[in-house]
Amino acid sequence: MDEVRLAGGNVGGAVRVGDTVRRAAGPWTPAVHALLQHLADKGFTDAPRPLGFDEQGREVLTFLPGETVAGRRPRPGWVRADETLDQVARWLRDCHQALADFVPPPGAIWRGGGTWTPGLTIGHNDPSPDNAAWHDGRLAGFFDWDFAGPAPAGWDLAFAAFSWVPLDTRPYRAEGFTDLAALPRRLDRFLATYGWPGTTADFLDVVRARITAHTDGIRALAAVGDQAFVRLLDQGVPAFLDQAVAGLDRFKH
């Protein structure tokens, strides 16, 4: 069966073979597959299901159908819609609830590092528009779970808000998001739909910590020669994110 390279992705790459996706596996893949199987067992259908490995040693996942951003600029209109924001918040809420009782297998290795202990959550860790599929007018779910793993509570939600509200407004003017006055309202809507229990100020502190950790990670991986992160550094991504973090206080009210 023919392989079709899937567009997008800064780290790794994937091909479609029929109704499956094949990707290079890593030491983290067994833990990710255990997580995805747990979601499937819980009846959570808006994520790929693991199907093992092929004859080349690549991981095999079910294909998540739908339109993707795949580097398109400006981004499709569904990325900016209020209803999409609601769907992202509900997806995260339902995913986190399904993973609440997930215990990683012994010796689990996560690509982003860290060791799970009771009290930590397991998150997708990159629920951005670049990893979303949109099908028949609804969010079909998120793919690219390579960086899933243990994280402090709220980090998944923080990264999603940063990308979807969005809280980093600098690049979005060129990508079709021009209603900057609506952003505080969109943030409130997103948090209310998810059911965030704290204040907006509390949440912005979580966002600040999450994005700072993300930029630190990019710089650290670039420093050891990981070419995907060297590219991000060369593109100025950490510096742009630092600027966005410095501007988060404007969302306090």
Side-chain angles (χ1 to χ4, degrees):
M1 191 173 292
D2 291 339
E3 296 187 357
V4 179
R5 180 155 294 281
L6 296 171
N10 182 67
V11 181
V15 297
R16 181 178 179 182
V17 180
D19 291 328
T20 70
V21 172
R22 316 292 174 98
R23 305 182 61 192
W28 54 85
T29 304
V32 173
H33 281 201
L35 180 160
L36 292 174
Q37 187 60 54
H38 180 88
L39 288 176
D41 292 344
K42 285 283 189 173
F44 186 86
T45 59
D46 295 337
R49 285 186 296 106
L51 300 175
F53 301 87
D54 67 10
E55 64 282 356
Q56 298 180 40
R58 298 176 299 184
E59 68 168 331
V60 183
L61 305 163
T62 56
F63 176 73
L64 198 62
E67 176 189 2
T68 65
V69 173
R72 293 158 57 189
R73 298 295 185 270
R75 289 178 167 174
W78 55 266
V79 173
R80 304 184 295 274
D82 281 356
E83 176 58 27
T84 305
L85 196 66
D86 293 343
Q87 292 187 41
V88 171
R90 288 194 293 266
W91 185 94
L92 284 166
R93 180 195 64 207
D94 294 346
C95 180
H96 292 163
Q97 289 175 350
L99 288 173
D101 60 349
F102 172 69
V103 177
I109 296 171
W110 304 102
R111 190 171 189 178
T115 300
W116 180 84
T117 57
L120 290 178
T121 60
I122 297 288
H124 179 284
N125 285 331
D126 191 8
S128 69
D130 290 323
N131 292 326
W134 182 258
H135 185 62
D136 288 342
R138 62 177 290 272
L139 179 72
F142 289 90
F143 49 87
D144 197 356
W145 287 75
D146 271 15
F147 282 93
W155 274 32
D156 233 13
L157 189 66
F159 200 89
F162 192 79
S163 303
W164 288 93
V165 170
L167 303 182
D168 177 15
T169 59
R170 175 199 48 79
Y172 292 90
R173 301 186 192 203
E175 295 172 3
F177 197 104
T178 57
D179 190 7
L180 301 185
L183 297 183
R185 173 189 62 78
R186 284 173 59 84
L187 176 58
D188 289 345
R189 178 175 182 146
F190 183 72
L191 294 178
T193 302
Y194 178 85
W196 171 252
T199 66
T200 301
D202 292 338
F203 182 70
L204 291 173
D205 287 340
V206 177
V207 175
R208 186 174 291 105
R210 174 66 181 91
I211 303 305
T212 298
H214 182 50
T215 56
D216 289 347
I218 292 173
R219 291 184 171 107
L221 289 168
V224 297
D226 188 313
Q227 289 305 302
F229 293 92
V230 169
R231 288 195 298 274
L232 291 177
L233 188 65
D234 290 344
Q235 293 164 7
V237 171
F240 293 144
L241 294 176
D242 288 342
Q243 294 173 21
V245 167
L248 286 175
D249 282 346
R250 68 184 181 280
F251 290 98
K252 289 184 177 179
H253 56 82

